[in-house]
């Protein structure tokens, strides 16, 4: 565990083991210019560098139709994060706070979500702007951005 | 598997087993007025009925500070969804489409996300409006809405 993962004063961790109630399947990998966590921007920007989302077969087949959207939501697994902190003391914060009142990557289920701009699709790869995660982050889901999404038809 | 889970014409499922690359911990349960999936609204509304998010210990401790936010993001596990469809044919749609170009609950990692209004906190329970999931849905994360969130201080 790196220094960055060390616990800070006033932080509270649980020592209860996390239950394994469901399983996550990695369906691809995200390629970004940031090879270390400490180099990642705090928030992705629409004019940030191009990043590549590579789908693992057979999930590339499930991309069909995504070219029609400018803006997509990307969900990924923050595989470098510890998961046991109940209370965190962010650097420079003036008081410790509960994990659910923070947007820190340290959470019981470390799921990251970003809204990105789709630049183009190259077969099983999507070139996008707006990500902020470290190179090699596992992909877990993609969907059209809800602000820009109209269902195929108002149905049930 | 109910009729609702049956495959439709032109839908494509993968028969490759989903890898179990990471585990999800259920950290609470969501109580809503909808006991069957078919009764759930398609999209939660800020003036929808009050629903209750119940945290399981020790994760109630991680709520501290959440009272300061009006709007929070709720992540949950769509435990009733099949996970194997690559191409889906939504009822009333005019053509089949890849799973990632739809916001259907059927996805390889069936994570649901809603933005809700926090009405009040009662100890380990949050009363909220804006949900759309079925009663008993497992909770996996909570965080302040990114549109309303300012980090404790611009940090490292």
């Amino acid at each position: 565990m790196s220094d960055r993962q060390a616990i800070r004063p006033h932080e509270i961790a649980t020592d209860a083991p996390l239950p394994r109630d469901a399983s996550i399947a990695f369906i691809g990998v995200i390629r970004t210019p940031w090879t270390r966590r400490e180099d990642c921007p705090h928030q992705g920007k629409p004019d940030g560098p191009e990043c590549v989302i590579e789908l693992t077969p057979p999930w590339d087949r499930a991309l069909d139709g995504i070219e029609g959207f400018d803006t997509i939501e990307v969900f990924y697994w923050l595989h470098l994060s510890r998961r046991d902190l109940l209370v965190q003391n962010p650097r420079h914060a003036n008081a410790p706070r509960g994990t659910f009142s923070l947007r820190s990557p340290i959470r019981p289920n470390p799921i990251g979500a970003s809204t990105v701009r789709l630049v183009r699709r190259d077969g099983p790869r999507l070139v996008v702007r707006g990500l902020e995660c470290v190179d090699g982050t596992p992909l877990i889901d993609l969907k059209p951005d809800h602000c820009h999404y109209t269902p195929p038809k108002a149905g049930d």
Side-chain angles (χ1 to χ4, degrees), chain A residues 64-130:
Chain A
D64 291 358
I66 205 164
E67 307 86 343
F69 297 96
D70 291 330
T71 310
I72 56 181
E73 292 178 41
V74 183
F75 292 79
Y76 41 91
W77 189 253
L78 299 162
H79 59 305
L80 301 178
S81 289
R82 64 184 295 162
R83 302 175 62 175
D84 60 345
L85 290 194
L86 302 172
V87 172
Q88 302 182 38
N89 196 4
R91 223 182 289 261
H92 308 307
N94 51 14
R97 293 167 63 172
T99 289
F100 301 134
S101 72
L102 294 166
R103 292 183 62 87
S104 153
I106 299 176
R107 350 194 36 89
N109 295 299
I111 297 163
S114 293
T115 300
V116 304
R117 194 156 63 80
L118 179 59
V119 177
R120 66 178 178 278
R121 175 180 173 187
D122 295 333
R125 290 180 194 81
L126 301 180
V127 179
V128 303
R129 294 184 192 270

Side-chain angles (χ1 to χ4, degrees), chain A residues 2 6-8 27 33 35 37 43 54 58 62 68 77-78 82 92 97 106 111 137-138 142 144 146 151 155:
Chain A
S2 74
I7 204 164
R8 295 175 180 145
I27 56 170
T35 55
R37 240 175 351 163
Q43 175 90 43
E54 301 179 356
W77 189 253
L78 299 162
R82 64 184 295 162
H92 308 307
R97 293 167 63 172
I106 299 176
I111 297 163
T137 295
L142 294 170
H146 68 287

Side-chain angles (χ1 to χ4, degrees), chain A residues 22-70:
Chain A
S23 63
I24 287 281
F26 297 163
I27 56 170
V29 69
I30 302 178
R31 297 294 173 198
T32 74
W34 309 293
T35 55
R36 301 181 312 165
R37 240 175 351 163
E38 49 269 45
D39 298 333
C40 296
H42 279 275
Q43 175 90 43
K45 294 181 180 174
D47 60 351
E50 286 191 354
C51 300
V52 177
I53 299 172
E54 301 179 356
L55 277 288
T56 304
W59 292 101
D60 51 334
R61 182 77 178 82
L63 289 176
D64 291 358
I66 205 164
E67 307 86 343
F69 297 96
D70 291 330

